[in-house]
Amino acid sequence: MEKFIGSQTIQFECPPHILGASSIVGPKEGEGLLKDYFDLILEDALWGEETWEKAESKILKETIHLAIKNAGIAIDDVRYVFSGDLLNQLIASSFAIRSLNKPFFGLFGACSTMGESLILAAMTVEGGFAKYCVASTSSHYCSAEKQFRYPLEFGNQRPPTATWTVTGSGAVVVGNHGQGPVITHVTPGRIIDLGVKDPMNMGAAMAPAAADTIVTHLKDTNRKPSDYDMIATGDLGSVGKELALELVKKQGYDIEQVYTDCGVEIYESDKQDTHAGGSGCGCSAVTLTGYLLKSMKAKRYNRILFIPTGALLSTTSANEGESIPGIAHGVVLENIE
Amino acid sequence: MEYIRAFITGGIICVIAQILMDKTKLMPARVLVIYVVAGTLLTGLGLYDYVVDFGGAGATVPLIGFGYALGNGVMEEVAESGFLGILTGGMKATAGGITAAILFGYLAAIIFDPKAEI
Amino acid sequence: MAYHDNETLKKEYGKLVKQKSPKVTLLKNCLWAFFVGGGICTIGQLLNNGYKALDFSKQEATTLTSVTLIFLGALLTGLDIYDSLGKRAGAGSIVPISGFANSIVAPAIEYKKEGYVFGVGAKIFNIAGPVIIYGMLASIIVGIGYYFFGQ
């Protein structure tokens, strides 16, 4: 039987389960609004390592181990690992997964990687190609700043539209049977680029992609925004959130009642000086594995549309004057009886 | 009075850079390049001397003053040693600052480690 | 048709982005830049007068002032203070010569982990390099102008 509906969406026949999840975050995230939901809050962003890159790898590795433990399975049960990050050539993921001794798919979806990895893990499991798969991602403020912007000690100013890269990692174990919420639908997103060039306003660059995936998903599934308890985009921040809301409204859907953004949820913007909010792969990943999934477990939310968003730029493309392409992947999570 | 003039001159030079950064989205590195080039050329045209006469350190401490040193240096050197001065003057006049920056930068790299921002 | 080929849509969106994005607080930024920038220059004046009082020539005093401010900028960068100042002061701490030092010391510290040759050595002028390059080129133009027309 065909499992695809509409133009982009997949409807699973036997929806795969999220058996376990985990989140490890840095000290700043541990002081934010979601601090009570994370599994582990680090006191030091280096976590005993020598470099930011090694620290990020360690965070990712430990997060994956924790997710496997939380799922109640052994590492040997895991068949494939889907993971990615922001660093050039995915070094955070490669070096983290090097010691797991498992087949690895390295993904680059910028900050949408949690969505991309979840979709591929769910398809692999539901297709009968694996019993258990891991989907994970990470980001680190210091390694991202170093690669994309300025050295940490450089005294530059951040505009109010800038976002703060989350230090943290989220991992999920997807399996074909067991306890936990299921993934009923996924809507992989298209690359949308409406010409935003300002790398200090990534929310604006990604909002059109988020809006496109939300509208496409609702059309494909014939659902209304009110069919969801929550629609949560990845890391648009306060500026991008407003823009996405406006763009979705233009296409005839009012999502305001159920809509939020992980980048807005994670920090206390005024106090923590994070300007427009959080961003980075870790932003949507730890919000999902911390806040969203734990709220689902408590039955506060029963059906969520989770849409991590990514800005597909590099320092080279930005220097060469290219605009910033955005992408957003939709995943429907549902509590079943 | 000298100090007040330095304060005001330096302050205004920084405010102009701030406006350039905020209003035109110019990155800091671009603003610095513009300032150095502007300082050098204005000195060549003999205009920046007036600013230095008024503002003292207020005109020489900002990076535009680095351009002032470059411009003056190259002109002095050309006056003294002729054509070759075109190539040697600028570097000679700013050698102290650049070498000091390299030295202190290198020492800082040995002594300090990057710290996470929270 | 892909969205990025649609110029009208892009233009419309550009307007919306402008409308929804918070503006920089220009006045506040400028006040910070004015007072911090002015303050650093006043310290410079103080140093300059001090060195002159110690019988250094005008030229020497200027160079010593620069070197002292570069040292202070480097030290405060290493102590993690200069970047906190820069967050508020913006151009006020970037434009003075101490900011030039900050732009050299910051990458030197950051890239140390990539080695002293390919890290510190290669990256130390990451930000400040263009300033020196264009400064030198401008000085050559001034030199040529002075050689042919100035004297």
Side-chain angles (χ1 to χ4, degrees), chain C residues 63-127:
Chain C
T63 304
L64 280 169
T65 303
S66 295
V67 170
T68 312
L69 285 172
I70 286 169
F71 171 75
L72 290 174
L75 183 69
L76 292 177
T77 303
L79 294 174
D80 207 22
I81 295 170
Y82 210 84
D83 71 316
S84 315
L85 181 67
K87 229 181 250 177
R88 305 254 174 274
S93 59
I94 290 174
V95 169
I97 194 88
S98 50
F100 179 69
N102 171 247
S103 75
I104 288 170
V105 177
I109 295 178
E110 182 76 283
Y111 286 97
K112 166 183 171 178
K113 293 287 153 58
E114 294 181 21
Y116 279 95
V117 174
F118 292 109
V120 180
K123 301 278 172 68
I124 195 165
F125 281 119
N126 229 358
I127 305 167

Side-chain angles (χ1 to χ4, degrees), chain A residues 240-296:
Chain A
K241 186 185 167 194
E242 288 297 308
L243 287 164
L245 206 56
E246 189 86 19
L247 292 173
V248 172
K249 202 174 264 171
K250 268 189 189 162
Q251 305 223 40
Y253 291 95
D254 187 359
I255 56 171
E256 199 164 355
Q257 295 302 317
V258 291
Y259 179 50
T260 190
D261 179 77
C262 301
V264 175
E265 297 283 333
I266 193 161
Y267 295 120
E268 210 166 337
S269 221
D270 301 337
K271 261 195 208 160
Q272 296 191 284
D273 198 27
T274 50
H275 299 237
S279 63
C281 303
C283 180
S284 57
V286 301
T287 307
L288 169 76
T289 55
Y291 177 54
L292 297 180
L293 285 172
K294 284 181 182 170
S295 299
M296 286 187 83

Side-chain angles (χ1 to χ4, degrees), chain B residues 2 18 22 57 61 63 109 113, chain C residues 29 45 49 78 91 95 97 112:
Chain B
E2 197 183 15
Q18 185 71 43
D22 283 349
V61 167
L63 216 61
D113 284 318
Chain C
N29 285 357
Q45 190 67 55
N49 291 355
V95 169
I97 194 88
K112 166 183 171 178

Side-chain angles (χ1 to χ4, degrees), chain B residues 66 70 90-91 94-103, chain C residues 70 100 104 125 132 136:
Chain B
F66 190 76
L70 281 168
M91 192 67 106
T94 51
I98 294 175
T99 311
I102 293 175
L103 173 70
Chain C
I70 286 169
F100 179 69
I104 288 170
F125 281 119
I132 295 176
M136 290 303 159

